[in-house]
Amino acid sequence: MDLTVVSYAIYLLISLGLTVWVARTLSRNGRVFLADVLHGNEKLADAVNHLLVVGFYLVNLGFIALYLRDDSMITDTRGVFEALSRNLGVVLLVLGVMHLGNVYALNKFRRRGIMDREQVPPVPPQGYAGEQGPWAAPVSPAGGH
């Protein structure tokens, strides 16, 4: 059997397995961030999480398929390992960058949600205090000026 084909088969098995593992990890743990960002809306968090995972799969599987081609001729076992390490190394770097990008985006959304919640007063205002400051006329206890 051609060693290049063996190298391709091993590359596909390992890279697909890694992609599925990273996607499941992102899905399981990213859902917590999404639920927090979306103020506890579980259905929306699940829907957004699912869409993010589908996008993750599409980008990574597309990259794996495009990076499958190797123009070098593999003639021995050493060549198989060298081709695998080169191709898998690039796939791992892309998966890592995608993972960091997802974590960064989720954290940014989460921080924005926290800032939005902090801007809303815990109790609605019950009235106005009137004019305040050095320009306002002093008010006497009897209500007159």
Side-chain angles (χ1 to χ4, degrees), residues 57-128:
Y57 275 126
L58 289 173
V59 169
N60 283 296
L61 294 178
F63 178 78
I64 288 168
L66 287 174
Y67 207 71
L68 177 64
R69 184 176 175 178
D70 192 359
D71 291 332
S72 63
M73 184 61 153
I74 300 175
T75 58
D76 56 0
T77 307
R78 177 181 174 184
V80 170
F81 281 102
E82 288 174 355
L84 279 174
S85 68
R86 182 178 54 250
N87 289 351
L88 288 174
V90 172
V91 168
L92 287 171
L93 287 173
V94 169
L95 283 171
V97 167
M98 291 289 293
H99 171 68
L100 290 176
N102 280 336
V103 169
Y104 176 77
L106 288 174
N107 193 36
K108 190 168 184 144
F109 291 141
R110 183 173 174 265
R111 285 186 180 196
R112 186 181 320 160
I114 289 171
M115 287 175 53
D116 288 345
R117 279 186 293 230
E118 288 176 354
Q119 292 178 357
V120 176
V123 178
Q126 298 174 357
Y128 296 96

Side-chain angles (χ1 to χ4, degrees), residues 10-70:
I10 294 170
Y11 164 75
L12 283 173
L13 285 173
I14 294 173
S15 59
L16 292 175
L18 285 169
T19 299
V20 169
W21 175 70
V22 172
R24 286 185 178 177
T25 301
L26 288 173
S27 174
R28 186 175 46 253
N29 297 318
R31 189 184 175 287
V32 175
F33 285 105
L34 287 172
D36 185 41
V37 168
L38 299 171
H39 309 293
N41 188 340
E42 301 290 329
K43 288 181 81 171
L44 184 58
D46 288 337
V48 170
N49 194 27
H50 184 72
L51 291 173
L52 287 172
V53 169
V54 168
F56 182 83
Y57 275 126
L58 289 173
V59 169
N60 283 296
L61 294 178
F63 178 78
I64 288 168
L66 287 174
Y67 207 71
L68 177 64
R69 184 176 175 178
D70 192 359

